[in-house]
Amino acid sequence: PGVLQCWSRGQFICPTDTDYADALAHIRNDTPENAKFVVFLTNRWSGIEVRYLGLRPMAYAYKDRGQLAFTNLEALQTWYYFLRRENAIYSRNISPTLDLQQERMINFALDAEASYMLTDFSFPPAVQKKLNITSVYKNKTYTILKLYNMRK
């Protein structure tokens, strides 16, 4: 939708990618309010829209560094730990295969205490079973996965 259409409906922030907008609407309307998210997208957007348009907390967001640098040094250290792990996931030298990337994404999410993941990576049913995750939403581009932490 155009900006004027969004404003006429009372929306002041309007995503232009309809698949992304649909996924964010699902997050906002169909996940528990306390559901904590991580986001892994092929082009490494921060995914911060989950927080502001999906209205759900994020376990990690790249763009949090600016706020944390001035407000919470302990949280900034945790953020940096997860940044290094995120960099390793996207590094072809450290994570050369999709299988390894997927496994590291799920471990990252669980270690960050996330209960859901928004992604545009493919997680076929056999991979979901192996990693103990379930697709709860899928459109042409995006998938929302429910994570089950069996480590506790």
Side-chain angles (χ1 to χ4, degrees):
V3 171
L4 294 178
Q5 286 178 312
C6 285
W7 288 358
S8 70
R9 291 190 308 245
Q11 293 177 272
F12 292 101
I13 301 173
C14 307
T16 55
D17 177 345
T18 55
D19 282 350
Y20 198 45
D22 291 346
L24 292 169
H26 180 84
I27 290 168
R28 184 177 52 254
N29 299 325
D30 297 312
T31 62
E33 287 186 18
N34 63 346
K36 194 185 287 187
F37 275 79
V38 294
V39 177
F40 283 100
L41 302 173
T42 52
N43 63 1
R44 288 191 79 176
W45 293 340
S46 73
I48 200 89
E49 298 86 359
V50 167
R51 182 179 292 152
Y52 299 111
L53 298 176
L55 303 178
R56 295 297 178 265
M58 294 185 66
Y60 165 85
Y62 174 77
K63 291 189 175 184
D64 283 345
R65 76 184 183 281
Q67 297 171 28
L68 296 174
F70 296 104
T71 60
N72 188 332
L73 288 178
E74 186 177 323
L76 181 62
Q77 289 174 326
T78 301
W79 173 90
Y80 184 66
Y81 167 75
F82 282 107
L83 171 69
R84 289 192 340 256
R85 288 186 61 186
E86 179 188 43
N87 288 339
I89 290 166
Y90 284 100
S91 167
R92 290 287 176 206
N93 293 331
I94 299 171
S95 300
T97 66
L98 182 58
D99 287 349
L100 192 50
Q101 276 186 318
Q102 291 168 328
E103 188 175 330
R104 287 186 170 166
M105 287 176 197
I106 299 305
N107 286 331
F108 176 107
L110 293 173
D111 290 347
E113 299 181 352
S115 50
Y116 288 88
M117 183 169 79
L118 172 65
T119 187
D120 60 358
F121 286 88
S122 174
F123 282 80
V127 173
Q128 291 181 40
K129 184 175 181 179
K130 175 186 166 200
L131 297 175
N132 198 33
I133 57 177
T134 303
S135 173
V136 295
Y137 172 87
K138 183 164 181 53
N139 64 31
K140 290 182 293 185
T141 310
Y142 300 96
T143 301
I144 299 169
L145 300 166
K146 171 82 174 111
L147 311 172
Y148 301 95
N149 191 349
M150 304 305 282
R151 297 188 235 171
K152 292 181 178 180

